[in-house]
């Protein structure tokens, strides 16, 4: 067994104190710390936050020698237990690492727990103690012996499990509910006194009930405890999935508050985040790509299937808000329109497939700059549209004799879940073919007639995930009785530039490849000074002073030098925004039936 002791000395120094004990170390025992955390695809070099490691064996100090950036080897002073002591600097408020101050503590095991090589499959035990007075502990780690505040001993069956259970510390709000025998805790740090915790708890319960029923029907759930950990800040958004918990972050204005009007859009975004991370409990934590079985914590783990594990989860997160009645169909279509517009405004989609974007997540998506929109496409948004296209394609097919209803993506997900193992893209194609029982509709995808059912579904999936053509969404949505409208985009959208306020000035944040902005010579970082004879100070000034009938001089500041560019006469189209609505014109009865099933009317 490997033992760890976590303590807080002086919280103002933002350092956790860690003591690790290896009862029967190997000669020249090797230790390592992960360089990345599963679910966040960037090498973060967590070892940079460790203090020098001190080691003793048999009461005598022994040398600790670095082997590489994340590995150490311990010399032998004799027989007996090996004890290691080190500190971890923790001052990152994100969900990915560790944080500690006088108000709150939080950590992921990937930031704190050294791995004793050769003992990773043995039981691991953690004692959490020495916390500030009144602080509580929240974690899904199985408790062995703890007090009323949660201080004490926790255990994990192996190192993988140990580092997949984040820990929240502090004086947080706490609520809980039970679904199908699974105790769900919800802890919230940093909320205002008028936070309506019961509303958030009730809405989260509905999501959990629906997703457990989706994955398990009436069967037993493979875990008995789950913890939502929400850190509330002035402005923030994000989440990271774990096998029995999730770490979340949101802005204070996103929360429901007693006696105050609810910001429906931001609260819906928060519920969508909760739904997304909870769905990951199955899709990526248990049903995972073969490249993640097992994880290699010392380097990047490449897969071309993040479009499935993140993209399909992004499709289902809002679907479950719709299915539970937390949003209505018009709101759902509005959210779907937003996703479609995000993808269509990304020139990178025409050059980089969503499969390649998945593979390049480590170097492109997680290292974003002003050129990211030209250099890749989001496997979250484009992946969710692949899920949408597949779902609507399946729903066009006639009902199967076996199921009595049209095939759909739900059936595909459950077929993959029942495999009980890590999956490949070939498994997804097989599940599509089995669910459909027939070839894809010819109007959706045309494949050589020589291919069998599986071959055609494999070809369709490859075309949509490894190709760069836009998906046939307008036709697919019309088949469900949903209209695809376009309306003129804003002036920056028609220009092909992203413009925002920086240091009190309107500045170009990004220029889209092939756009009018690129052709007229605009560059990222340009400060917009004036259009024609009018000064640009506010966000709407560019549109306010724009004369659509003629070219105009545009003054910009670049590296403190004033330049004059020419804003040409713009086309009436370009940068159009897609708006989805329930069709008002008559649609056939089959489309009405499909729409009712898809939008759960």
């Amino acid at each position: 067994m490997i033992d760890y002791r976590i303590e807080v000395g002086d919280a103002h120094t933002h350092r956790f104190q860690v003591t690790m004990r290896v009862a029967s170390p190997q000669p020249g025992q090797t230790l390592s710390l992960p360089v990345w955390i599963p679910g966040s695809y960037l090498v973060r070099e967590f070892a940079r936050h460790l203090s020098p490691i001190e080691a003793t064996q048999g009461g005598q100090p022994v040398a600790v020698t670095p082997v590489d950036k994340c590995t150490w080897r311990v010399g032998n002073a004799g027989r007996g237990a090996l004890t290691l002591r080190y500190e971890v600097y923790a001052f990152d408020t994100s969900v990915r690492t560790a944080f500690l101050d006088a108000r709150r503590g939080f950590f992921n095991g990937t930031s704190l727990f050294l791995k004793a090589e050769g003992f990773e499959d043995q039981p691991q035990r953690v004692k959490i103690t020495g916390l500030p007075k009144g602080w509580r502990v929240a974690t899904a780690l199985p408790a062995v012996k703890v007090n009323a505040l949660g201080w004490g001993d926790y255990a994990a069956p192996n190192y993988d499990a140990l580092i997949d259970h984040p820990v929240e510390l502090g004086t947080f709000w706490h609520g809980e509910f039970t679904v199908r025998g699974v105790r769900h805790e919800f802890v919230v740090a940093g909320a205002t006194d008028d936070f309506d915790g019961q509303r958030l708890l009730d809405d989260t319960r509905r999501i959990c009930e629906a997703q457990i029923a989706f994955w398990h029907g009436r069967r037993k759930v493979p875990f008995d405890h789950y913890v939502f950990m929400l850190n509330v800040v002035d402005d923030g958004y994000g989440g990271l999935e774990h096998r029995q918990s999730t770490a979340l972050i949101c802005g204070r204005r996103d929360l429901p508050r007693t006696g105050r009007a609810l910001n429906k859009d931001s609260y819906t975004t928060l519920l969508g985040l909760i739904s997304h991370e909870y769905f990951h409990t199955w899709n990526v934590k248990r049903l995972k790509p073969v490249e993640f079985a097992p994880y290699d914590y010392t380097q990047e783990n490449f897969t071309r299937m993040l479009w499935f594990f993140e993209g399909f989860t992004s499709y289902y997160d809002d679907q479950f808000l719709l299915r539970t009645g937390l949003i209505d169909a018009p709101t759902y279509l509005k959210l779907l329109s937003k996703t479609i517009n995000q993808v269509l405004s990304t020139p990178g989609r025409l050059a980089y497939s969503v499969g390649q974007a998945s593979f390049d997540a480590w170097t492109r998506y997680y290292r974003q700059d002003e050129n990211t929109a030209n250099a890749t496409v989001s496997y979250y948004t484009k992946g969710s549209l692949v899920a949408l296209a597949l779902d609507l394609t399946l729903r066009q097919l006639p009902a199967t004799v076996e199921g009595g209803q049209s095939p759909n993506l739900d059936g595909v997900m459950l077929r993959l879940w029942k495999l009980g193992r890590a999956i490949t893209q070939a498994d997804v194609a097989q599940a599509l073919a089995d669910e459909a029982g027939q070839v894809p509709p010819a109007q959706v995808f045309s494949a050589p007639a020589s291919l069998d059912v599986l071959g055609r579904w494999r070809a369709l999936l490859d075309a949509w995930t490894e190709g760069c053509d836009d998906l046939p969404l307008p036709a697919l949505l019309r088949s469900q009785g949903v209209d695809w409208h376009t309306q003129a985009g804003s002036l920056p959208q028609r220009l092909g530039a992203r413009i925002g306020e920086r240091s009190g000035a309107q500045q170009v944040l990004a220029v889209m490849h092939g756009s009018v902005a690129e052709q007229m010579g605009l560059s990222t970082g340009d400060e917009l000074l004036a259009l024609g004879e009018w000064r640009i100070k506010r966000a709407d000034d560019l549109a306010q002073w724009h004369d659509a009938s003629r070219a105009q001089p545009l003054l910009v500041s670049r590296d403190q030098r004033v330049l004059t560019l020419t804003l040409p006469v713009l086309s009436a189209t370009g940068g159009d925004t897609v708006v989805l609505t329930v069709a008002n014109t008559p649609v056939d009865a089959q489309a009405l039936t499909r729409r009712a099933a898809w939008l759960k009317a």
Side-chain angles (χ1 to χ4, degrees):
M1 179 179 292
I2 309 299
D3 290 287
Y4 302 86
R5 181 184 182 95
I6 307 298
E7 297 175 275
V8 173
D10 182 356
H12 296 294
T13 67
H14 316 299
R15 285 171 169 81
F16 285 104
Q17 297 173 348
V18 184
T19 303
M20 177 183 180
R21 183 177 183 274
V22 183
S24 301
Q26 299 174 347
Q29 178 66 54
T30 301
L31 308 165
S32 64
L33 191 72
V35 303
W36 69 288
I37 182 169
S40 183
Y41 306 105
L42 179 68
V43 171
R44 298 185 184 276
E45 314 291 18
F46 298 128
R48 63 196 171 98
H49 294 306
L50 266 64
S51 69
I53 302 169
E54 298 178 355
T56 59
Q57 189 176 27
Q60 298 298 315
V62 290
V64 179
T65 305
V67 176
D68 57 34
K69 64 181 181 179
C70 64
T71 310
W72 298 261
R73 182 170 292 113
V74 182
N76 288 324
R79 297 182 179 179
L82 174 66
T83 301
L84 305 115
R85 294 182 177 86
Y86 54 96
E87 292 184 336
V88 178
Y89 179 72
F91 203 56
D92 182 345
T93 58
S94 78
V95 297
R96 299 177 292 265
T97 55
F99 178 82
L100 180 64
D101 69 3
R103 181 186 64 85
R104 171 182 177 261
F106 169 82
F107 65 84
N108 286 290
T110 44
S111 291
L112 263 66
F113 297 128
L114 289 171
K115 178 171 70 172
E117 300 289 348
F119 297 95
E120 51 267 56
D121 294 328
Q122 291 194 10
Q124 321 271 313
R125 182 168 293 193
V126 180
K127 178 182 285 293
I128 301 175
T129 187
L131 306 179
K133 183 178 180 180
W135 275 27
R136 303 173 65 186
V137 178
T139 181
L141 266 173
V144 176
K145 183 179 181 181
V146 299
N147 66 15
L149 296 176
W151 299 27
D153 296 331
Y154 296 86
N158 51 54
Y159 184 79
D160 273 354
L162 173 70
I163 62 173
D164 207 10
H165 289 86
V167 177
E168 179 75 28
L169 308 167
T171 55
F172 41 74
W173 179 91
H174 176 272
E176 62 179 75
F177 56 84
T178 300
V179 176
R180 294 276 301 280
V182 180
R183 182 168 69 98
H184 291 71
E185 294 184 84
F186 208 127
V187 300
V188 182
T192 56
D193 292 340
D194 59 356
F195 161 55
D196 187 352
Q198 192 58 51
R199 168 90 183 253
L200 183 61
L201 211 61
D202 291 344
D203 291 344
T204 301
R205 181 207 301 264
R206 292 164 68 175
I207 294 168
C208 296
E209 288 174 341
Q211 292 194 16
I212 285 178
F214 173 85
W215 288 105
H216 299 290
R218 297 181 179 277
R219 296 182 298 277
K220 181 176 174 58
V221 183
F223 55 93
D224 58 9
H225 184 202
Y226 191 92
V227 183
F228 293 95
M229 305 173 190
L230 176 60
N231 182 31
V232 182
V233 297
D234 179 58
D235 185 24
Y237 173 84
L240 187 63
E241 69 275 3
H242 297 274
R243 64 182 64 190
Q244 288 178 229
S245 56
T246 182
L248 309 164
I249 188 168
C250 77
R252 291 187 181 90
R253 61 183 61 87
D254 302 335
L255 291 178
R257 299 169 69 179
T258 304
R260 292 178 180 249
L262 182 69
N263 186 328
K264 291 184 179 179
D265 287 346
S266 63
Y267 184 55
T268 296
T269 300
L270 173 58
L271 293 179
L273 176 65
I274 291 169
S275 179
H276 182 99
E277 302 303 339
Y278 195 66
F279 196 81
H280 270 318
T281 308
W282 295 270
N283 194 35
V284 90
K285 296 311 298 184
R286 290 169 171 81
L287 180 67
K288 61 179 60 178
V290 292
E291 295 87 353
F292 290 178
Y295 294 118
D296 180 350
Y297 298 110
T298 67
Q299 61 183 348
E300 297 92 336
N301 290 209
F302 294 100
T303 176
R304 300 184 74 89
M305 289 189 65
L306 293 182
W307 57 264
F308 179 87
F309 294 99
E310 292 292 357
F312 280 41
T313 300
S314 296
Y315 175 63
Y316 274 105
D317 54 21
D318 288 338
Q319 265 283 314
F320 274 101
L321 300 190
L322 177 67
R323 296 180 188 192
T324 55
L326 290 169
I327 59 173
D328 57 16
T331 301
Y332 176 72
L333 293 178
K334 180 180 177 182
L335 293 171
L336 200 53
S337 301
K338 180 180 178 180
T339 301
I340 290 170
N341 286 312
Q342 287 174 334
V343 174
L344 293 181
S345 66
T346 305
R349 79 187 193 282
L350 301 175
Y352 297 89
S353 71
V354 73
Q356 187 63 43
S358 298
F359 190 85
D360 290 341
W362 302 85
T363 55
R364 294 180 185 259
Y365 188 79
Y366 271 88
R367 294 186 183 273
Q368 296 197 14
D369 57 27
E370 71 282 351
N371 191 51
T372 295
N374 300 317
T376 190
V377 65
S378 168
Y379 48 79
Y380 285 91
T381 52
K382 178 68 181 290
S384 73
L385 297 187
V386 171
L388 169 67
L390 290 172
D391 197 11
L392 300 191
T393 297
L394 288 166
R395 290 175 184 273
Q396 287 192 37
L397 299 172
T400 59
V401 175
E402 176 187 346
Q405 63 178 13
S406 292
N408 55 58
L409 196 62
D410 291 6
V412 173
M413 299 301 290
L414 294 178
R415 289 175 187 275
L416 292 169
W417 171 253
K418 290 175 182 177
L419 293 177
R421 57 170 171 79
I423 63 169
T424 65
Q425 181 150 327
D427 291 319
V428 179
Q430 184 69 63
L432 284 165
D434 291 344
E435 176 70 11
Q438 55 200 295
V439 300
Q443 66 271 27
V444 174
F445 182 76
S446 178
S450 59
L451 294 177
D452 60 9
V453 172
L454 175 59
R456 295 195 194 189
W457 281 104
R458 183 184 291 121
L460 179 149
L461 189 62
D462 288 346
W464 288 358
T465 61
E466 295 297 339
C468 298
D469 292 339
D470 285 331
L471 300 167
L473 291 177
L476 285 170
L477 287 160
R478 282 194 291 270
S479 75
Q480 305 291 318
V482 173
D483 282 340
W484 173 294
H485 307 281
T486 58
Q487 59 187 32
S490 66
L491 183 57
Q493 287 173 325
R494 291 161 64 196
L495 274 173
R498 294 177 183 172
I499 298 171
E501 185 173 327
R502 289 280 175 85
S503 303
Q506 297 302 307
Q507 195 173 99
V508 178
L509 306 180
V511 175
M512 303 299 107
H513 182 55
S515 66
V516 173
E518 186 180 63
Q519 294 165 9
M520 63 182 282
L522 270 177
S523 292
T524 299
D526 284 355
E527 178 186 341
L528 305 184
L529 301 177
L531 181 60
E533 61 183 12
W534 295 100
R535 181 82 165 89
I536 296 174
K537 294 179 66 176
R538 293 175 293 272
D540 60 349
D541 280 350
L542 189 65
Q544 179 175 325
W545 310 132
H546 178 235
D547 184 344
S549 66
R550 62 186 178 91
Q552 294 173 277
L554 176 66
L555 266 64
V556 304
S557 173
R558 182 182 301 165
D559 192 26
Q560 303 303 310
R561 178 177 295 177
V562 176
L563 306 175
T564 301
L565 307 177
T566 300
L567 178 62
V569 175
L570 297 175
S571 169
T573 60
D576 292 345
T577 300
V578 173
V579 179
L580 303 181
T581 59
V582 172
N584 292 320
T585 54
V587 292
D588 62 71
Q590 288 183 332
L592 287 174
T593 300
R594 287 195 292 265
R595 186 173 73 193
W598 176 51
L599 296 181
K600 300 297 182 287

